Amino acid sequence: MRLLHTSDWHLGRSFHRIGLLDAQREFVGHLVRTARDERVDVVLVAGDVYDRAVPPLAAVELFDEALHRLAELGVPTVMISGNHDSPRRLGVGAGLIERAGIHLRTDPAGCGTPVVLADAHGDVAFYGLPYLEPALVRDALGAERAGHAAVLGAAMERVRADLAGRPAGTRSVVLAHAFVAGGAPSDSERDITVGGVAAVGPEIFDGVDYAALGHLHGCQTINERVRYSGSPLAYSFSEAAHRKTMWLIDLGADGTVAAERVDCPVPRPLARIRGHLEDLLADPALAAHEDAWVEATLTDPVRPQDPMARLAKRFPHVVSLVLDPEGAPEDSFASYAQRLRGRSDQEIAEDFVAHVRGGRGPDEAERAVLTAALDSVRLDETLGETAR
């Protein structure tokens, strides 16, 4: 059975205030053409269909267009909600849409109920595990603790229990939206840390033939059976080096996995350039970036006059300016964003405590208070998005 694994469309998202809807529409067309030309049997979308819980109308219209085009193609699609999606909104009409071959899985209670599709070698059970907010789903899944590993483990127990009751030789695929250890994050993913622990081990998916993951925006192989497709477009300059692709997966009769990357259209390349302003304006080696979206980091000791306007004369698509003056103190406000990059909310909060107390960080009791406060804020945010 041939699968096309994608995720993290983030329909409605912009890039430094530049609308990406046309590029996202081009991707949808590319997805449909790939499914047709490569004779794909099933399309998998592993969460974050939308960029926010209440997406703009244009994004909803594009999603509707994508569903119609996939249904017209006659290729079944299995899709889950991610941490950016509103599960209830995305899941509206799921029962009716399923009649057209579009299988939306947004309810955690349905983790153990697969979509069963067949090829010449027998059944393949597709289990959709939407993003599992621990505090919201712990009781429903019977998890022992309110952590990512606990709730995802409880969901996988349901998957294995259902699979054990199916005929021998039934192959299995899990779609999940989670942060799995070994994956490299980028700046454009929303932090899903709970209790100070964000990642779960890939062994949590032991027993299934393929785990199609979403959440991290870089295409990555955790192991041969556990992969991230990544986002189809770059959503931050931290993704400048990413090759944006989808996974074309051939699932053999015995559950073996063969994988191939399929490139996605690139609306405009990204470039990060760094140096003194005058050097950036004159360096012939930077000519290759003149048509790219550019993030320029200026290292001039003194801020130059009108830097964006001057940069735009050579790089008309410069969209981000970072000041990192040479000789500035290490804790300069100019480099604040860089110092926060890649750090969790918990780490930032603990660093702040150490900063205001002259280097003395929180003790274990204070760290627990910070953890509880951050988890409470994240839960309130999730509940608020669900209610809107």
Side-chain angles (χ1 to χ4, degrees):
M1 183 174 286
R2 175 161 281 190
L3 318 174
L4 186 61
H5 169 197
T6 179
S7 72
D8 295 273
W9 294 2
H10 288 279
L11 299 181
R13 189 161 187 159
S14 61
F15 182 81
H16 290 267
R17 297 181 296 280
I18 298 170
L20 293 176
L21 205 65
D22 287 342
Q24 291 172 332
R25 181 172 288 106
E26 184 179 358
F27 162 70
V28 167
H30 171 70
L31 171 73
V32 173
R33 290 190 298 274
T34 300
R36 180 194 63 210
D37 296 346
E38 297 291 344
R39 300 182 181 276
V40 167
D41 297 301
V42 187
V43 172
L44 310 177
V45 186
D48 280 354
V49 175
Y50 291 122
D51 188 55
R52 55 183 187 265
V54 185
L57 179 58
V60 177
E61 291 173 340
L62 179 55
F63 178 57
D64 182 63
E65 177 186 332
L67 295 184
H68 276 84
R69 294 183 68 176
L70 288 167
E72 289 169 2
L73 194 62
V75 176
T77 299
V78 184
M79 183 178 298
I80 62 173
S81 51
N83 61 303
H84 281 248
D85 298 309
S86 165
R88 291 184 179 179
R89 285 188 171 86
L90 187 63
V92 167
L96 291 173
I97 295 172
E98 191 156 9
R99 298 179 185 179
I102 308 293
H103 306 275
L104 289 169
R105 292 294 184 265
T106 64
D107 183 357
C111 287
T113 304
V115 176
V116 180
L117 303 170
D119 63 7
H121 305 291
D123 288 347
V124 180
F126 293 85
Y127 298 90
L129 278 54
Y131 171 65
L132 303 172
E133 179 62 41
L136 293 179
V137 305
R138 173 185 177 180
D139 292 339
L141 293 178
E144 295 180 359
R145 299 178 305 279
H148 280 296
V151 296
L152 192 54
M156 283 302 301
E157 286 178 7
R158 294 190 175 197
V159 168
R160 295 188 188 94
D162 179 85
L163 193 57
R166 295 191 174 273
T170 299
R171 290 159 290 166
S172 55
V173 174
V174 165
L175 289 79
H177 197 85
F179 187 1
V180 175
S186 61
D187 291 346
S188 54
E189 299 125 6
R190 183 181 296 168
D191 180 26
I192 60 172
T193 302
V194 170
V197 180
V200 298
E203 65 277 2
I204 207 162
F205 299 107
D206 286 353
V208 299
D209 294 309
Y210 184 67
L213 302 182
H215 179 57
L216 299 185
H217 288 183
C219 182
Q220 301 170 64
T221 300
I222 306 301
N223 60 49
E224 288 305 307
R225 297 183 181 276
V226 181
R227 299 172 187 264
Y228 282 99
S229 67
S231 61
L233 300 172
Y235 293 119
S236 73
F237 277 103
S238 66
E239 302 169 53
H242 287 188
R243 175 187 165 198
K244 295 300 184 181
T245 60
M246 302 177 286
W247 282 114
L248 193 63
I249 302 293
D250 284 314
L251 189 63
D254 57 354
T256 55
V257 172
E260 176 186 348
R261 292 176 71 175
V262 178
D263 288 294
C264 294
V266 179
R268 191 177 299 280
L270 306 186
R272 280 176 149 171
I273 59 177
R274 179 184 179 88
H276 288 202
L277 176 60
E278 295 300 334
D279 294 338
L280 297 182
L281 295 177
D283 188 351
L286 299 180
H289 303 318
E290 290 176 357
D291 194 44
W293 279 319
V294 170
E295 178 184 76
T297 298
L298 300 185
T299 59
D300 302 72
V302 178
R303 179 184 175 119
Q305 185 175 4
D306 298 325
M308 279 295 276
R310 294 167 66 186
L311 283 165
K313 289 181 179 179
R314 183 179 186 188
F315 306 101
H317 304 289
V318 59
V319 294
S320 176
L321 178 66
V322 179
L323 300 178
D324 189 13
E326 294 173 347
E330 188 176 341
D331 63 347
S332 164
F333 285 109
S335 60
Y336 184 69
Q338 290 97 318
R339 289 188 287 112
L340 294 187
R341 186 167 293 156
R343 300 183 67 75
S344 69
D345 292 342
Q346 180 84 17
E347 291 170 326
I348 293 169
E350 292 182 13
D351 287 350
F352 176 76
V353 172
H355 173 72
V356 299
R357 293 204 306 208
R360 183 169 62 88
D363 58 27
E364 288 302 317
E366 292 168 332
R367 187 174 289 112
V369 171
L370 287 173
T371 297
L374 290 169
D375 289 352
S376 177
V377 169
R378 187 174 293 104
L379 178 59
D380 287 346
E381 181 186 55
T382 301
L383 290 172
E385 288 184 346
T386 302
R388 284 202 296 269

